[in-house]
Amino acid sequence: MYAGQRLNTIILFSCIFLFVGTEVLLSPFYPQFFEKVFGIDDLSFTGMYVFLCRLTVVLISPIWGLLAKRFDAKSLLLIGQTGTALACVLMAMSQTEQQFLIFSICLLVFKSSYLLLYTILIQHAGKAKKRVTGLYHAVFQSSVVVATLASSWVIQLDDPLVVFWWAAALDAIQAIVCFLVFSRMSAFVAVAKEPEAIRKRVTGFGFLIKMAMIIFTLHFSVTLVRPFFTLFSEQELHTSVFSSSLLFLVPSIMAVAAAPLIIKCRTEKLSSLYKIAGIILAVSLLFQGIVTSLPLFVLFRCLFGLALAICQASLEIVLFQRGGNVHYQYGIMSAFQNIGLLLAPLAATFLVNNYTLQHPFLYASVAIAVHLALVLMTIYSKTGIQEEEKIVAEQEKQRYVG
């Protein structure tokens, strides 16, 4: 029985790997893609395309979570996967950039359902939620690394649109595989219902607002340095295009390395680990913007990636350990994460246009300091930690009684 559950988990994590890979495959080369396929050399179209795609995810992610409160999350995911495959077919057949934009928005409407795949794993993880969270981030970032490296090959194809035929086939295969896995999920332990007191706290508006602002400030801060990172690296550190790409990927690689630490860390030690990681995050961002030595830059880049992985995973553990409707809660958090991803490039463009390439790093370190202060005043304040410990104790008692 345990072996069957483990096999199901591996298969679903493989689907997450493919989902992330197909999503980010062309993202580093959108300007080159639009010029090669549609003859669009105006960078403003790329900016509008990315903005509308982010906005779609912001608006649609919570809707899938809300639907999961009324309908079975597994059935919703299968609908989303099927719609994603069909949208990829339409994108592959696009004749104009306007068609491609419309079909991309359709794709993201359905593809936003993939957040349910993660929360389904969490929902059935039992006491292993922390392990699933650590593995998720490792799988996610591994896929980002592989897809980013593969994108330089894809953009050189005679017709890059062919990649969407491949993506459609992979999404169709995922839908079939997930259907087969879900049909035998009776091997999983049924999800226990939380006590009424816990359930009320979980779905409290105040808690969701706190977590939403914390998630937003974290992702806004770290995304602030990404849009012009390779340009900064080439001009300030005199790296090649390939070296800049590798430096860009360092945080993703470090997130994979951080997975064992996240999994092994005891839940009661997470608050202390988060405080340390938050300070390292702020310091590493600051020094990335001011050091001129490449070895030192690489060091702070590695520390940045390690600390970011710990912070992201820790916040999700705090959210998931409360139980409740994880699909709805994670949908809300995903929306605020994407608001940060939406606004950060606009802020970065303003800073670079009006100041220097170093300024996104400097302002990002200040934003992380604000984020850390917010965390310390809410979920990791003395009262917040006591509340989390009480919830965990009540959940353990409920499992024991059950």
Side-chain angles (χ1 to χ4, degrees):
M1 194 170 186
Y2 173 78
Q5 179 177 342
R6 185 175 182 181
L7 178 61
N8 290 342
T9 302
I10 292 172
I11 292 173
L12 293 182
F13 268 123
S14 299
C15 290
I16 289 173
F17 182 90
L18 292 174
F19 151 66
V20 176
T22 55
E23 183 180 34
V24 305
L25 189 56
L26 279 172
S27 57
F29 296 100
Y30 276 137
Q32 297 93 322
F33 171 80
F34 287 124
E35 182 177 3
K36 186 172 185 177
V37 177
F38 301 113
I40 304 296
D41 55 5
D42 184 3
L43 293 179
S44 62
F45 180 82
T46 300
M48 180 187 68
Y49 176 84
V50 173
F51 179 85
L52 290 176
C53 286
R54 293 283 189 200
L55 184 61
T56 300
V57 176
V58 169
L59 297 175
I60 299 300
S61 294
I63 294 177
W64 286 104
L66 283 170
L67 289 172
K69 295 181 72 174
R70 293 179 57 100
F71 305 101
D72 179 53
K74 301 182 188 70
S75 299
L76 291 173
L77 177 61
L78 293 174
I79 292 171
Q81 288 174 321
T82 303
T84 298
L86 294 174
C88 283
V89 170
L90 293 174
M91 291 173 71
M93 299 169 63
S94 299
Q95 299 296 315
T96 66
E97 68 275 14
Q98 289 84 6
Q99 288 181 0
F100 186 82
L101 173 60
I102 293 171
F103 296 147
S104 294
I105 291 173
C106 293
L107 171 75
L108 291 170
V109 168
F110 289 107
K111 200 154 192 171
S112 295
S113 67
Y114 271 82
L115 66 89
L116 298 175
L117 184 52
Y118 180 29
T119 52
I120 287 169
L121 281 165
I122 289 292
Q123 191 178 46
H124 291 276
K127 295 182 179 180
K129 288 184 174 64
K130 184 155 59 67
R131 177 179 176 81
V132 169
T133 299
L135 289 174
Y136 171 79
H137 284 279
V139 170
F140 186 100
Q141 298 299 340
S142 296
S143 185
V144 169
V145 171
V146 173
T148 302
L149 294 175
S151 61
S152 60
W153 170 76
V154 171
I155 197 63
Q156 297 179 52
L157 295 172
D158 292 335
D159 181 15
L161 278 175
V162 73
V163 73
F164 292 101
W165 288 109
W166 305 342
L170 289 173
D171 284 316
I173 292 171
Q174 287 180 66
I176 295 170
V177 168
C178 285
F179 173 78
L180 295 175
V181 170
F182 294 156
S183 67
R184 55 193 289 260
M185 263 195 165
S186 57
F188 279 132
V189 178
V191 181
K193 292 187 177 293
E194 295 88 353
E196 184 66 22
I198 294 178
R199 188 158 57 250
K200 286 182 179 179
R201 282 201 296 268
V202 168
T203 56
F205 181 75
F207 171 74
L208 288 180
I209 288 297
K210 291 176 187 176
M211 288 297 297
M213 292 307 300
I214 288 169
I215 292 288
F216 166 77
T217 52
L218 175 64
H219 286 276
F220 174 84
S221 302
V222 300
T223 306
L224 200 58
V225 304
R226 290 175 182 167
F228 300 97
F229 178 85
T230 54
L231 186 61
F232 167 85
S233 174
E234 291 168 18
Q235 292 190 9
E236 302 298 326
L237 300 173
H238 310 294
T239 58
S240 65
V241 174
F242 179 72
S243 298
S244 298
S245 301
L246 290 180
L247 287 175
F248 185 85
L249 288 174
V250 163
S252 296
I253 298 171
M254 293 306 299
V256 178
L261 176 62
I262 296 167
I263 293 170
K264 292 179 181 179
C265 181
R266 296 168 60 184
T267 302
E268 59 269 23
K269 299 293 184 181
L270 276 178
S271 60
S272 299
L273 184 63
Y274 195 98
K275 294 170 187 176
I276 296 170
I279 294 171
I280 292 174
L281 202 56
V283 171
S284 62
L285 278 168
L286 175 64
F287 278 95
Q288 282 181 79
I290 61 178
V291 298
T292 56
S293 167
L294 183 58
L296 280 177
F297 185 86
V298 172
L299 172 63
F300 287 115
R301 190 74 176 154
C302 290
L303 291 173
F304 167 76
L306 185 66
L308 177 59
I310 292 171
C311 289
Q312 288 178 323
S314 298
L315 290 178
E316 291 177 11
I317 291 168
V318 170
L319 178 68
F320 294 142
Q321 73 183 7
R322 283 174 164 248
N325 191 304
V326 294
H327 311 299
Y328 169 69
Q329 294 176 55
Y330 191 68
I332 296 293
M333 296 307 108
S334 179
F336 276 85
Q337 172 183 330
N338 280 283
I339 292 174
L341 299 179
L342 182 70
L343 296 180
L346 302 178
T349 301
F350 172 82
L351 291 173
V352 170
N353 285 340
N354 290 276
Y355 301 102
T356 68
L357 288 168
Q358 286 91 349
H359 274 75
F361 289 95
L362 305 182
Y363 277 82
S365 65
V366 174
I368 280 293
V370 173
H371 162 81
L372 188 57
L374 184 60
V375 169
L376 296 179
M377 289 188 297
T378 55
I379 62 171
Y380 283 148
S381 65
K382 184 177 180 180
T383 303
I385 293 173
Q386 289 174 347
E387 182 181 357
E388 294 303 319
E389 290 176 345
K390 185 177 180 181
I391 288 173
V392 172
E394 289 180 4
Q395 288 176 332
E396 291 298 322
K397 181 179 177 181
Q398 180 69 12
R399 291 192 187 101
Y400 179 77
V401 172

